[in-house]
Amino acid sequence: MENLNINWFPGHMAKTRRELQEKLKLIDLVIELRDARIPDSSANPMLNSLIGEKNKLIILCKSDMADPVQTKKFINEYEAGGAFALDVDLVGGKNCNLIKPYIKKASASIIERRQKKGIINKEIKIMVVGIPNVGKSTFINKIAGKKSLNTGNKPGVTKNSNIWIKINNEFLLLDTPGILWPKFESNDVALRLALCGSIKDELLPIRELTVFGIGYLKEYYPDLLKARYRLESLENTEDIIAEIGKNRGCLRKGGEIDYEKVYKAFLQDVKNAKIGAISYDRREG
C-alpha cells in the first residue's frame, strides 16, 4: 500500500496544543485516556514532550471491546515502567469504582510534598487528555457523578474552550478537546485509528481499510471472524469479502455484490465490537 500521507491537524487542534502548553503550568496530574483496543496507536506521542515530568495516570477506555489478555499485558507493561494504569469500561461500569483511588495513588507524591510544606486540603488539579472519541467526556461525567459535558460516539464532539469541573473538594478536572498529532508515523497507525473510530472513515480508502481489518482478524482472531460472518474458509481475502456480502445481503439487483455496502457493514461491526473483543495493537509472549 502506498503511504497514505494523512495530515490530521485542524485549526482547533493546533490551538488546543498551544492552550495545553499554557494550562500545564497549573496542572498537578495528567490523566491520559487511551483506547484499550489500540493502546499504542491511541497514545499521542506529542503528549510526553508537553507533559514533561508531571505525574501521569493512563486509563485504557472501552476495555469491554478489547481482548482482555492483551489489555492485561499492556497494563503490566505500564506498571513495570513505573506508571499508574487502569483499564475501564465507562459504559458498563467495569473498574469505574477504582478511578478515584487510582487518581489518589497517582497523586500521592504531590500530596506528600505539600504536607511537608504544611499545605493541606488543597485540590489536585488534573488535566484529562486523549485523542478524539476515546471517551473523555464520558469519563469526566462518570467521576463527576452527573452529566456535565457533551458526549458523543464520533470524533470532534468536544471543541469548545477548556472547562474546569470540580469533583467534591479533592479534585479539579480540566477537560480538553481531543487532539491527534500532525502526521501519522505509519499507515498501520492511521488504519487502526480509523477502525476504532478515532479518525473519520472518509480520510482513508474504505477498501484498503476493510482489507487491512480482515487481514488482521484472519491472522489473530480467525474463529471470531468465521463465527460472525458464517465463513467456510479464510484462505482468500477477496473471497471473504464476497462471502460477507452474500451472507449479509449486501447485494444489488440481480444478485451482484454491492462491495461498498460490504465495506461499510464490516467497518461498522468492527467499530461496535460486533465481531468480538479484539485488540488491534498487541504484545506477543
Side-chain angles (χ1 to χ4, degrees), residues 7-273:
N7 195 312
W8 172 254
F9 211 52
H12 76 270
M13 291 189 179
K15 179 185 174 188
T16 298
R17 177 177 177 165
R18 292 193 297 272
E19 289 178 351
L20 278 176
Q21 290 173 311
E22 284 300 309
K23 292 288 194 297
L24 272 167
K25 298 170 187 174
L26 309 171
I27 295 300
D28 301 309
L29 171 70
V30 174
I31 297 179
E32 182 186 4
L33 303 188
R34 301 182 187 178
D35 190 317
R37 297 169 293 177
I38 47 171
D40 288 333
S41 300
S42 61
N44 190 331
M46 285 196 314
L47 288 178
N48 283 336
S49 61
L50 291 173
I51 290 167
E53 298 300 314
K54 300 282 183 183
N55 289 36
K56 186 164 101 170
L57 169 62
I58 299 170
I59 301 282
L60 297 184
C61 300
K62 306 183 183 181
S63 65
D64 59 309
M65 296 182 173
D67 180 341
V69 173
Q70 287 298 321
T71 299
K72 183 64 176 171
K73 288 180 180 179
F74 279 99
I75 293 289
N76 289 343
E77 179 182 298
Y78 300 147
E79 290 178 343
F84 296 96
L86 178 68
D87 65 292
V88 301
D89 170 10
L90 295 171
V91 177
K94 178 195 170 187
N95 286 345
C96 288
N97 62 317
L98 297 178
I99 293 173
K100 288 182 182 178
Y102 266 72
I103 291 174
K104 289 181 180 179
K105 280 171 63 176
S107 307
S109 62
I110 301 166
I111 295 168
E112 186 179 348
R113 284 198 301 269
R114 287 178 178 175
Q115 287 174 341
K116 287 179 179 177
K117 295 178 181 178
I119 303 169
I120 58 172
N121 298 327
K122 185 177 179 181
E123 294 158 326
I124 298 293
K125 290 183 178 177
I126 302 167
M127 179 182 284
V128 182
V129 297
I131 65 169
N133 200 30
V134 76
K136 291 184 305 301
S137 298
T138 305
F139 173 81
I140 291 176
N141 292 339
K142 181 69 70 173
I143 61 174
K146 59 185 176 181
K147 186 169 183 180
S148 52
L149 294 174
N150 292 326
T151 61
N153 189 29
K154 59 181 180 179
V157 171
T158 309
K159 292 185 183 178
N160 297 327
S161 300
N162 299 316
I163 303 166
W164 286 98
I165 297 158
K166 192 167 186 174
I167 311 296
N168 300 327
N169 291 314
E170 297 179 283
F171 314 123
L172 269 179
L173 291 185
L174 178 64
D175 178 50
T176 57
I179 57 169
L180 289 171
W181 45 107
K183 189 176 178 181
F184 301 118
E185 57 196 45
S186 73
N187 285 353
D188 283 3
V189 169
L191 290 162
R192 288 177 183 129
L193 286 163
L195 284 175
C196 295
S198 294
I199 59 176
K200 295 174 182 176
D201 289 347
E202 53 264 33
L203 288 173
L204 295 160
I206 192 169
R207 174 180 163 74
E208 280 83 343
L209 185 54
T210 302
V211 168
F212 175 82
I214 289 174
Y216 184 85
L217 294 176
K218 275 173 59 179
E219 183 171 359
Y220 295 108
Y221 301 95
D223 292 341
L224 292 179
L225 183 61
K226 271 188 173 182
R228 174 63 182 172
Y229 299 110
R230 307 188 304 279
L231 301 173
E232 296 295 326
S233 169
L234 296 180
E235 286 185 20
N236 183 281
T237 298
E238 296 302 323
D239 292 342
I240 290 171
I241 293 172
E243 198 170 346
I244 291 173
K246 291 173 187 173
N247 293 344
R248 290 292 295 270
C250 300
L251 305 172
R252 294 192 178 97
K253 287 182 180 178
E256 183 185 348
I257 293 169
D258 187 334
Y259 283 97
E260 201 72 15
K261 274 190 179 179
V262 178
Y263 304 149
K264 288 178 180 177
F266 172 75
L267 294 175
Q268 202 60 34
D269 281 353
V270 170
K271 285 180 191 174
N272 295 325

